[in-house]
């Protein structure tokens, strides 16, 4: 009686609990993304097991062919994913056994899902980084070609979003390019550091089978097998490092986005974004909104979130593997998608933007942007810089009252503030004179922009 009611109770409770726990702990609905890398790792493992005599050649061949068929099945959308089998690894292994029988059950000899998943994610991320790097380079090329096109285009340079000094549009594009060059370096560092093979670490301590890790390592394209099994199954530094690099990339893209949004606004009218990268308003027929730039700007928020999630996931985790690590995948996968797609959007859009030369020139001209050039002129006439600064400040106040730019004042008006000002001052008060004068490495002069464009093209051609 007791037993019966207990069984009834436990039957009902455990069934309900199991159903929930099963769903709560399952990861196949997201980690199925790893299927191709999981199969690749398993095939390498099977070849190695055959080489060391743990599998027969016939078993090895059955496993490899069975996994090829499963890959095709998954890609055709015909694979019977089963959440009850928890994750991608168990789904594929179970299917393999269903298809090829006994040999399938031998695949997992000498490994654990712990070294398996650690290997899979590294293989996956290595490919993902290669794709992201490709988009990053496309965007760099787009910026360089725009810089070349607009090397001598004058625009206002800003500090505090106030007109500061005239610069060239090409120089501004190359500033963005430099950010992306550093981003590429961070991605490449991350890819190089993570290219270490966990497979063979098994659950945490290694395995008693006579495995040949050098063989799987070479087949899977890793640089060397991990030197410590405890570290190898539990390390997710590479996911954090990738997300950090990704968060810096999306931060850079958000800065570019912000500028393009301001420049495309009628408030400045500096650029026109291609229609196909903008959207309209459902209510205001005149609107053309820079949504792609806004979404890219917004995407940086989730990237920062993923970086924080991964850091926090790893904080305080004891060695070796803990199931917490299953929580690395959704942030990592979304980080990959976010960085790749944001880069793709800008790589497509930026080379197609139209620059409004007249508006840029007018805004630079109206903003006293050559005031520093006037001060530098006075210094060359022997006036100490601080005094020159004061003289120019008074000239600007006067010009403001007169409703003119510095270059529009008469010589006599300028000479009220310093007798050292001569007719040649007008050469430095022009925008062209101002940018041309900044003719040193890193400066905004069109000659320097062209030199940097050539250097960038050579660098990109060598990639
Ligand atoms: N789905 C797991 C993960 O993503 C695979 C490893 C499971 N290992 C284990 N001992 N439960 O981390």
């Amino acid at each position: 009686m007791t037993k019966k009611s207990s069984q009834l109770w436990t039957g009902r409770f455990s069934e309900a609990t199991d159903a929930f726990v099963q769903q709560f702990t399952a990861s196949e609905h997201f980690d199925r993304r790893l299927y191709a890398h999981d199969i690749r790792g398993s095939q390498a493992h099977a070849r190695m097991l055959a080489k060391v005599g743990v599998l027969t050649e016939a078993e090895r061949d059955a496993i490899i062919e069975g996994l090829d068929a499963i890959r095709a099945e998954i890609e055709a959308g015909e694979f019977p994913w089963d959440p009850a089998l928890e994750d991608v690894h168990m789904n594929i292994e179970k299917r393999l056994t269903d298809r090829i029988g006994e040999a399938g059950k031998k695949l997992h000899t000498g490994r654990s899902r712990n070294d398996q998943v650690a290997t899979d994610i590294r293989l996956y991320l290595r490919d993902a980084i290669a794709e992201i790097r490709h988009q990053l380079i496309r965007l760099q090329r787009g910026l360089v070609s725009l810089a070349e096109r607009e090397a001598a285009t004058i625009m206002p340079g800003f500090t505090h979003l106030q007109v500061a000094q005239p610069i060239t549009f090409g120089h501004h594009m190359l500033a963005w390019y430099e950010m992306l060059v550093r981003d590429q370096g961070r991605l490449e560092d991350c890819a190089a550091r993570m290219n270490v093979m966990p497979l063979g670490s098994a659950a945490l301590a290694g395995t008693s089978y006579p495995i040949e890790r050098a063989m799987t390592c070479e087949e899977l394209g890793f640089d060397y097998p991990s030197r410590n099994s405890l570290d190898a199954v539990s390390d997710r530094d590479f996911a954090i490092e990738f997300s950090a690099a990704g968060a810096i990339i999306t931060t850079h893209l958000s800065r570019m986005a912000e500028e393009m949004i301001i420049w495309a606004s009628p408030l400045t009218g500096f650029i026109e974004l291609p229609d196909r990268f903008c959207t309209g308003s459902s209510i205001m027929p005149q609107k053309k909104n820079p949504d792609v730039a806004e979404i890219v700007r917004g995407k940086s928020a989730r990237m920062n979130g993923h970086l924080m999630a991964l850091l926090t996931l790893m904080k305080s985790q004891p060695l070796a593997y803990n199931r917490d690590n299953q929580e690395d995948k959704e942030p990592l996968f979304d980080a990959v998608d976010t960085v790749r797609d944001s880069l793709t959007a800008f790589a497509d859009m930026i080379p197609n933007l139209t620059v409004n030369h007249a508006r840029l020139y007018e805004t630079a001209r109206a903003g006293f942007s050559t005031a520093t050039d006037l001060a530098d002129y006075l210094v060359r006439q022997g006036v100490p810089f601080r005094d020159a600064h004061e003289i120019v400040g008074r000239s600007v106040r006067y010009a403001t009252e007169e409703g003119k730019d510095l270059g529009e004042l008469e010589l006599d008006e300028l000479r009220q503030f310093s007798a050292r000002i001569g007719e040649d001052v007008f050469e430095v008060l022009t925008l062209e004179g101002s940018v041309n004068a900044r003719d040193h490495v890193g400066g905004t002069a069109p000659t320097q922009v062209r030199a940097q464009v050539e250097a960038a093209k050579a660098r990109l051609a060598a990639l």
Side-chain angles (χ1 to χ4, degrees), residues 27 31 87 89 113-114 117 236 321 323 325-326 329:
S27 57
D31 67 18
D87 53 27
H89 323 292
R113 276 186 295 158
N114 297 353
V117 70
R236 296 293 183 273
Y321 177 86
R323 191 66 180 270
N325 285 350
Q326 183 165 295
K329 292 180 195 58

Side-chain angles (χ1 to χ4, degrees), residues 29-271:
H29 58 290
F30 55 80
D31 67 18
R32 59 172 75 169
R33 190 193 279 229
L34 295 173
Y35 78 89
H37 301 96
D38 191 70
I39 287 173
R40 196 175 160 204
S42 290
Q43 290 178 327
H45 184 65
R47 281 193 193 96
M48 185 277 291
L49 289 179
K51 165 113 189 290
V52 302
V54 172
L55 294 179
T56 65
E57 288 185 1
E59 285 167 337
R60 173 197 64 198
D61 295 344
I63 288 173
I64 290 170
E65 282 161 31
L67 288 171
D68 281 338
I70 288 171
R71 189 195 297 105
E73 210 174 30
I74 294 172
E75 284 167 3
E78 286 159 6
F79 186 87
W81 293 102
D82 181 0
L85 291 167
E86 269 186 52
D87 53 27
V88 62
H89 323 292
M90 303 280 263
N91 266 273
I92 291 176
E93 191 187 319
K94 168 77 167 38
R95 184 77 181 149
L96 181 67
T97 304
D98 289 348
R99 292 182 71 111
I100 70 169
E102 286 300 294
K105 295 191 198 160
K106 298 189 178 178
L107 169 63
H108 211 54
T109 314
R111 76 171 183 185
S112 149
R113 276 186 295 158
N114 297 353
D115 60 341
Q116 186 179 355
V117 70
T119 303
D120 291 0
I121 318 173
R122 286 173 194 247
L123 289 171
Y124 162 80
L125 192 56
R126 195 170 70 190
D127 286 352
I129 288 177
E131 238 185 287
I132 288 169
R133 183 176 177 276
H134 171 71
Q135 295 303 332
L136 187 62
I137 291 169
R138 272 186 66 224
L139 177 53
Q140 290 175 8
R141 287 189 212 284
L143 290 171
V144 171
S145 71
L146 191 52
E148 183 169 39
R149 208 170 83 205
E150 308 293 345
T153 303
I154 288 177
M155 69 177 286
F158 296 91
T159 59
H160 314 273
L161 209 55
Q162 308 286 325
V163 173
Q165 293 176 346
I167 58 170
T168 48
F169 196 89
H171 196 53
H172 201 116
M173 292 303 101
L174 291 181
W176 291 357
Y177 165 79
E178 289 295 334
M179 298 179 193
L180 301 181
V181 172
R182 294 192 296 277
D183 288 333
Q184 188 184 332
R186 275 182 281 270
L187 277 183
E188 286 167 358
D189 285 353
C190 170
R193 209 175 347 266
M194 75 175 209
N195 203 31
V196 175
M197 187 188 73
L199 193 63
S201 302
L204 75 164
T207 174
S208 56
Y209 294 94
I211 56 172
E212 268 190 34
R213 299 187 71 203
M215 180 180 166
T216 34
C217 188
E218 177 166 353
E219 178 167 344
L220 296 174
F222 284 110
D223 292 333
Y224 57 92
S226 55
R227 295 182 294 257
N228 185 296
S229 60
L230 300 174
D231 177 52
V233 293
S234 60
D235 165 36
R236 296 293 183 273
D237 289 4
F238 61 89
I240 296 174
E241 196 173 346
F242 166 75
S243 301
I248 299 175
I249 291 173
T250 50
T251 296
H252 285 156
L253 298 184
S254 79
R255 297 180 64 186
M256 298 175 197
E258 175 78 354
E259 292 193 301
M260 282 189 283
I261 291 162
I262 294 170
W263 295 352
S265 161
L267 293 174
T268 66
F270 288 172
I271 60 169

Side-chain angles (χ1 to χ4, degrees), residues 10-26 83-84:
T10 50
R12 193 178 58 151
F13 185 86
S14 77
E15 199 167 28
T17 308
D18 279 346
F20 175 74
V21 167
Q22 199 176 81
Q23 171 210 316
F24 185 66
T25 56

Side-chain angles (χ1 to χ4, degrees), residues 140-446:
Q140 290 175 8
R141 287 189 212 284
L143 290 171
V144 171
S145 71
L146 191 52
E148 183 169 39
R149 208 170 83 205
E150 308 293 345
T153 303
I154 288 177
M155 69 177 286
F158 296 91
T159 59
H160 314 273
L161 209 55
Q162 308 286 325
V163 173
Q165 293 176 346
I167 58 170
T168 48
F169 196 89
H171 196 53
H172 201 116
M173 292 303 101
L174 291 181
W176 291 357
Y177 165 79
E178 289 295 334
M179 298 179 193
L180 301 181
V181 172
R182 294 192 296 277
D183 288 333
Q184 188 184 332
R186 275 182 281 270
L187 277 183
E188 286 167 358
D189 285 353
C190 170
R193 209 175 347 266
M194 75 175 209
N195 203 31
V196 175
M197 187 188 73
L199 193 63
S201 302
L204 75 164
T207 174
S208 56
Y209 294 94
I211 56 172
E212 268 190 34
R213 299 187 71 203
M215 180 180 166
T216 34
C217 188
E218 177 166 353
E219 178 167 344
L220 296 174
F222 284 110
D223 292 333
Y224 57 92
S226 55
R227 295 182 294 257
N228 185 296
S229 60
L230 300 174
D231 177 52
V233 293
S234 60
D235 165 36
R236 296 293 183 273
D237 289 4
F238 61 89
I240 296 174
E241 196 173 346
F242 166 75
S243 301
I248 299 175
I249 291 173
T250 50
T251 296
H252 285 156
L253 298 184
S254 79
R255 297 180 64 186
M256 298 175 197
E258 175 78 354
E259 292 193 301
M260 282 189 283
I261 291 162
I262 294 170
W263 295 352
S265 161
L267 293 174
T268 66
F270 288 172
I271 60 169
E272 181 88 25
L273 296 171
D275 281 0
R276 63 186 183 282
F277 292 98
C278 294
T279 60
S281 160
S282 57
I283 174 166
M284 297 164 285
Q286 84 283 13
K287 293 296 291 294
K288 174 176 161 184
N289 297 326
D291 294 44
V292 171
E294 289 173 319
I295 287 173
V296 168
R297 186 174 59 180
K299 290 280 185 197
S300 65
R302 64 199 284 156
M303 261 314 300
N304 293 352
H306 295 326
L307 172 60
M308 287 307 120
L310 289 166
L311 280 167
T312 314
L313 178 67
M314 295 314 292
K315 181 192 171 298
S316 313
Q317 259 200 59
L319 289 173
Y321 177 86
N322 302 286
R323 191 66 180 270
D324 311 39
N325 285 350
Q326 183 165 295
E327 286 292 307
D328 63 355
K329 292 180 195 58
E330 286 169 295
L332 180 65
F333 293 161
D334 192 67
V336 164
D337 294 346
T338 301
V339 179
R340 186 201 51 230
D341 293 352
S342 299
L343 285 167
T344 305
F346 273 5
D348 291 344
M349 182 176 86
I350 287 180
N352 292 300
L353 57 81
T354 317
V355 178
N356 186 339
H357 297 110
R359 278 293 299 149
L360 288 165
Y361 194 89
E362 188 50 37
T363 310
R365 206 186 57 79
F368 301 109
S369 64
T370 54
T372 314
D373 296 273
L374 177 56
D376 291 343
Y377 169 88
L378 289 165
V379 168
R380 284 196 296 275
Q381 312 302 313
V383 180
F385 183 77
R386 271 295 148 230
D387 294 341
H389 189 286
E390 175 67 22
I391 291 166
V392 178
R394 281 191 269 118
S395 312
V396 166
R397 173 142 43 101
Y398 172 82
T400 307
E401 283 159 12
E402 297 296 305
K404 293 178 179 170
D405 190 57
L406 284 178
E408 293 168 332
L409 297 177
E410 301 296 329
L411 182 59
D412 283 349
E413 289 176 290
L414 282 166
R415 282 177 62 89
Q416 300 172 71
F417 303 102
S418 172
R420 309 241 192 159
I421 297 177
E423 187 64 50
D424 58 349
V425 73
F426 293 106
E427 288 161 32
V428 309
L429 291 182
T430 66
L431 301 175
E432 290 78 3
S434 174
V435 296
N436 287 332
R438 285 160 171 78
D439 190 10
H440 54 78
V441 173
T444 198

